[in-house]
Amino acid sequence: MITFETHPDRYRHWKLAFDGSVATLSMDVREDAGLKPDYKLKLNSYDLGVDIELADAIQRIRFEHPEVHAVVVTSLKERIFCAGANIMMLRESTHGWKVNFCKFTNETRLAIEDASDHSGIRFLAALNGICAGGGYELALACDEIYLVDDGNSAVSLPEAPLLGVLPGTGGLTRVVDKRRVRRDLADFFSTLVEGIKGKRAVEWNLVDKVFPTSQFKDAVAKRARELATRSDRPGQGPGIALNPLNPTVTENEIKYSAVTLTLHRDKRTADLTIQAPTGAQPSTPHEIFAAGDQFWALRAFRELDDALLRLRVNEPEVGTIVVRTEGDREAVLAIDRTLAAHQNDWLVREIVLFMKRTLKRFDLTARTFFAFIEPGSAFAGSLFELALAADRSYMLHDDNEENVIALSPMNGGPLTMSNGLTRLQTRFLGKEDHVDEVLAHEGPFNAAEADEAGLVTFAPDEIDWDDEVRVAVEARAAFSPDAMTGLEANLRFAGPETMETKIFGRLTAWQNWIFQRPNAVGDKGALKVYGQQGRPEFDWKRT
Amino acid sequence: MITFETHPDRYRHWKLAFDGSVATLSMDVREDAGLKPDYKLKLNSYDLGVDIELADAIQRIRFEHPEVHAVVVTSLKERIFCAGANIMMLRESTHGWKVNFCKFTNETRLAIEDASDHSGIRFLAALNGICAGGGYELALACDEIYLVDDGNSAVSLPEAPLLGVLPGTGGLTRVVDKRRVRRDLADFFSTLVEGIKGKRAVEWNLVDKVFPTSQFKDAVAKRARELATRSDRPGQGPGIALNPLNPTVTENEIKYSAVTLTLHRDKRTADLTIQAPTGAQPSTPHEIFAAGDQFWALRAFRELDDALLRLRVNEPEVGTIVVRTEGDREAVLAIDRTLAAHQNDWLVREIVLFMKRTLKRFDLTARTFFAFIEPGSAFAGSLFELALAADRSYMLHDDNEENVIALSPMNGGPLTMSNGLTRLQTRFLGKEDHVDEVLAHEGPFNAAEADEAGLVTFAPDEIDWDDEVRVAVEARAAFSPDAMTGLEANLRFAGPETMETKIFGRLTAWQNWIFQRPNAVGDKGALKVYGQQGRPEFDWKRT
């Protein structure tokens, strides 16, 4: 079973060092410490385990080190920055593993950009040696890229010519859409195994600057200090510690403090339940800081994030998830109001951004989600985002009309999807008036009101409820899992596309196709044959 | 060998009728007239042959019938509008055939929307009976959808639940992005085999109106006349005839009047050459009308369009295409100036829109294109779009500096890509000043100037030329064809995404993935098992 929690004390592949406002995150992959013993992580190549540490490091810098305003991403290996995803690992992996691996690495790189765009942490990739494939894609996620000019070190995306697959972590998209490398130059670059170095790399905007070896370290340090001056983060720590989640894991359940994931493997379904906060809750930034990682909003969403990641990787056959909430709706709304009122506080901002990223992880999880809204539930404000993110929501229209949902300011802006819109804006695409109207609604919505306002999919009455929701889940769980993945990936992201949605839509979908093709993964496919004797044999038909 | 030219006199599946400003295009598919004898086209289901006629009909309405301002799309079969793409045909088809079939049908539906958006021809889908899958996707491409309310006729997208694949012709995208059906309702609808009818179909905006059988025809006729009043097309004909292209087809060559496609199947390459006009050219709308389909701009682009379609379907292994132009550059520029000056003329507008669509077809062709710009070439204005559309361009830097390219007003606006930008805007993404600068440049660019301005990829000198271009083509033709398709599909469409790019990026890429998966096309896959004994067996892993 793969788990996603780690801590710098236990990192095997990265070193995290702090010097005032600048942190340095150095890759130093241990060859023999891959997640599986089948491959050696040579030349700073990586597998999911390496990327889990990277994701953890970025998260901790955000929460535990508010004094950090710039991060240098570099390598401790001589003349090697990073050789990208480990090819032997990819070759031996199932299709599903490859897809989930790429999804997680993509989310991690987008989290770097999120920290830069919204948290005031700038990233400088200091490429002290060869930087290939996923290594360059990591650099592309940083704000600036410095490359050593030693006559040897180049940036490259050799996946297509060498392995017959695409660079799978946003490289093609970022090259043309973020760095705005001309598409014809990008075409040439992406088919050039040896990559591009020196002055040409700068001219084509593949990197920002190159420096001779003798000047490289100083130039990086100087630039990192400059980047660090542009932040609105606090000048000093401390931050808050992100302690272990310590879920109770049994055969069929992962139970956290506020989140429970119960698996029904025989039915290929699961129940995911989130508890509203209980007891007194912080209402000022000071109190939130004092509560630290035990503050419900952070704790519950960290648990949800962890549950989603475990589900994706460890339970591939569990395809249909019923989402429920329980507890005090008013307590959720009170926390939402606190969060909305104090978004200028660095920690509140980080918590809200974390909630946003977790909900995006939900959007991007290739499982069906149905929200069941029943009496006693707490689908209010930020928790109602789960119902909006679900593929459908079923709300019991109870005779007493006590079953309600509610909105908060958190539904009106901070928790945007990858497409740049809120879930309400995406739901009511082009109907901004209606979005404003539901947000202005006073008090909760009962089932009839929620149905009328289009906030839930269906509102069966007590007579129909049991049958309707049972049949819905059973029917869903019986459909082709691939068709459901494709369906959801198309319907969930109405409206504008962004670089982020392009990476998960266009790029990922093409990569998944290629990962399925005999030209890559057949016995004579390029990915299979690489590093072994013989050359790939292709079916030459273009499609 | 599949050919794409046809004429209403030879249609087997559609009837085209005219009544003043309203044309009626009625589907009446001949069961036994499929492209292959392996399947029967029951219930107005279609194969590529049916769609070729549809594409032809729309083209002819545009050019041959300027007096038509609205088109009713309906069926002559009792209680059946259209059952969608023929499932037996899909089941028996290769992956490549399915992909090319979907691409062509998508282009045809987008051509309907192009006619509505830009030509002043409105489309009314008159659904006189069941309308499933691709049938509903055709309706979605129309401006408005009327459905008969007979207690039986429904619209549906049953592909996912029934066949384990996606609706492949833009259905999912148009439901949420064009008709703005709520994503949760769209999710429910897209998993409901029997579809949705009557009042609910209107409430969910799946159709615009429903009418009882007794009122249906009148309501359709009345609405079509209303829609026809909103056009800026001429009040009367005649238009111009689109005569057969009559290429000379030999073993290794398709030779038209201005376009030649020469195949080198052993090398998996082809040469595509376009001749500039010769002799006197029309310079007024009146003269263009008189020249009709022999006017170079229309003739050359019709030929190019036909060559691209034949290449896609008949020559799947020919993966790398060298594009050349020949002749009088000034003649192309003169025609461009004429076209740009008279875009308010209905025929000029149609010709320019046709050029735009053909260039989009080029962008969407899953082959590598390299433009070779050599002395004697005519890469000017609209023909230079081919160099901009190519994955790379190589321009010989001749000692005499006689090899030149040139821009025209046609590079500055009318020939937009699917992403809504011109090819220059896409090439110089976010650098509008540079776009303006190159467009303002007086006279042609020699190789050094073109290279400096970023208008060509490489400008080798005479010593390097032969080796460099030879190696470029050979290397390209040796890469995995799937990786090249994915690479190009990502790099060609930098910048914003539109509904159109979403259909060809996100939707198509996911569909191609699903079309490759055992859950659809394996021996027990849903698409294979459909209509036969037994139920599909799925690998339940979600990816």
Side-chain angles (χ1 to χ4, degrees), chain A residues 14 39 69 86 113 130-131 134 159 173 197 203 211 215 251 266 306 311 329 345 365 371 382 410 412 483 493 536:
Chain A
W14 292 89
Y39 47 82
H69 302 174
N86 186 272
E113 291 174 326
I130 58 158
C131 176
E159 286 89 341
T173 314
K197 62 191 175 189
E203 282 171 0
F211 297 92
Q215 298 167 25
E251 171 70 16
D266 55 331
D306 193 63
L311 178 71
R329 183 182 70 245
D345 175 72
T365 296
S382 49
M410 293 296 278
F493 301 93

Side-chain angles (χ1 to χ4, degrees), chain A residues 95-96 99-100 160-161 164-167 172-173 176-177 180 182-188 190-191 200 204 268 316-319 363 366-368 370 388-394 417 426-431 451 454-458 476-497 501-502 504-510 512-514 516-520 538-543, chain B residues 95-96 99-100 160-161 164-167 172-173 176-177 180 182-188 190-191 200 204 268 316-319 363 366-368 370 388-394 417 426-431 451 454-458 476-497 501-502 504-510 512-514 516-520 538-543:
Chain A
H95 181 74
V99 169
N100 268 313
V165 302
L166 302 184
L172 298 180
T173 314
V176 291
D177 273 307
R180 299 185 168 177
R182 256 172 40 212
R183 54 162 286 206
D184 53 340
L185 300 177
D187 177 279
F188 180 76
S190 309
T191 55
R200 197 181 216 189
W204 289 17
R268 299 185 301 278
E317 294 205 353
V318 174
D363 295 330
R367 309 295 162 95
T368 297
F370 286 171
L388 294 171
D391 297 292
R392 300 180 200 162
S393 53
Y394 290 80
M417 299 173 60
T426 304
R427 187 175 187 82
F428 304 120
L429 197 62
K431 294 165 188 150
D451 190 26
L455 291 168
V456 296
T457 316
F458 298 114
R476 188 67 161 212
F479 291 137
S480 161
D482 303 333
M484 292 306 103
T485 292
L487 186 74
E488 293 154 10
N490 278 282
L491 295 180
R492 288 179 183 171
F493 301 93
E497 298 262 2
T501 64
K502 277 174 103 160
F504 288 115
R506 180 183 285 272
L507 179 64
T508 298
W510 279 112
N512 289 1
W513 175 73
I514 291 167
Q516 196 67 38
R517 296 276 288 172
N519 281 342
F538 294 128
D539 173 347
W540 291 111
K541 286 197 273 302
R542 271 285 200 134
T543 38
Chain B
H95 180 75
V99 169
N100 268 315
V165 301
L166 302 184
L172 299 179
T173 314
V176 291
D177 274 305
R180 298 185 170 178
R182 255 171 42 211
R183 54 161 285 206
D184 54 340
L185 301 177
D187 177 279
F188 180 76
S190 309
T191 57
R200 197 183 214 187
W204 289 17
R268 300 186 299 279
E317 295 205 352
V318 174
D363 295 330
R367 309 295 162 96
T368 297
F370 287 170
L388 293 171
D391 297 291
R392 300 180 199 162
S393 53
Y394 290 80
M417 299 174 58
T426 304
R427 186 175 188 83
F428 304 120
L429 196 62
K431 294 166 189 151
D451 191 26
L455 290 168
V456 296
T457 316
F458 298 113
R476 189 65 161 213
F479 292 137
S480 161
D482 303 334
M484 292 306 102
T485 292
L487 186 75
E488 292 154 10
N490 279 282
L491 295 180
R492 288 180 183 172
F493 300 93
E497 297 261 2
T501 64
K502 278 172 102 160
F504 288 116
R506 181 182 285 271
L507 178 64
T508 298
W510 278 111
N512 289 1
W513 175 72
I514 291 166
Q516 194 67 38
R517 297 274 288 171
N519 281 341
F538 294 130
D539 172 348
W540 291 110
K541 287 196 273 304
R542 271 285 199 131
T543 39

